[in-house]
Amino acid sequence: MSGELIIRAVRRGDYDQWLPLWDGYNAFYGRSGPTALAPEITATTWRRFFDAYEPVHALVAESDGRLLGLTHYLFHRSTTAIAPLCYLQDLFTSEAARGKGVGRALINGVYDAARMAGSPRVYWQTHETNVVAQELYDKVAERSGFIVYRKAI
């Protein structure tokens, strides 16, 4: 990463650089090979970023014309706030970009987007084994103490 780091909204022309980052993110969480996401999910996710009626958004980190990372976030209503909350759903940086401030810059980009939308809070979750990411998260946010439960339906 020799040039300036730019955090910006994803563009349609970014697909060929976004896709390997998306695939890397999914592989990190065990969604590859036989457990890979269906191609329709990736295609729908990509289309949502450009649909004004969707609450799903994407930022990318760029340096010297190369995408180094991505983050996806969405706004949703809550029973505990009037303004929509911001959920940072996905965050991933290329192996070469790790430890260079790219993840922090992407999180800050989501913070900026949330502020502009009038959202009172940004929150996210990570797997308990993702201790490297937690080192960063502990510096840029506070742990809520909540435990996530889920059931496939």
Side-chain angles (χ1 to χ4, degrees):
M1 191 171 84
S2 58
E4 176 189 7
L5 182 65
I6 299 166
I7 304 300
R8 61 168 176 80
V10 71
R11 300 177 191 137
R12 290 183 192 276
D14 291 332
Y15 184 79
D16 289 342
Q17 290 191 65
W18 170 86
L19 185 59
L21 293 167
W22 175 241
D23 288 344
Y25 173 78
N26 285 303
F28 179 82
Y29 281 108
R31 295 183 297 257
S32 61
T35 59
L37 292 179
E40 305 83 56
I41 294 173
T42 293
T44 299
T45 297
W46 180 254
R47 280 193 308 271
R48 285 177 175 160
F49 300 145
F50 306 102
D51 183 339
Y53 293 103
E54 285 285 347
V56 181
H57 306 276
L59 298 175
V60 291
E62 178 184 22
S63 180
D64 295 326
R66 289 191 32 225
L67 297 189
L68 304 174
L70 61 77
T71 187
H72 306 144
Y73 60 98
L74 57 96
F75 294 101
H76 67 88
R77 298 192 186 280
S78 170
T79 60
T80 61
I82 294 171
L85 301 184
C86 182
Y87 178 61
L88 191 162
Q89 187 165 15
D90 311 315
L91 177 68
F92 186 77
T93 63
S94 67
E95 187 84 31
R98 295 196 184 136
K100 297 181 177 164
V102 175
R104 180 187 295 260
L106 284 163
I107 292 169
N108 285 333
V110 173
Y111 288 168
D112 290 342
R115 271 188 217 94
M116 288 192 314
S119 180
R121 180 172 59 233
V122 175
Y123 71 101
W124 64 93
Q125 58 188 343
T126 192
H127 196 273
E128 62 188 10
T129 61
N130 194 357
V131 293
V132 173
Q134 289 176 52
E135 289 178 20
L136 169 61
Y137 300 161
D138 288 341
K139 293 174 186 169
V140 299
E142 64 182 46
R143 289 184 190 225
S144 68
F146 281 88
I147 299 170
V148 176
Y149 291 86
R150 67 181 180 191
K151 178 173 177 52
I153 306 281

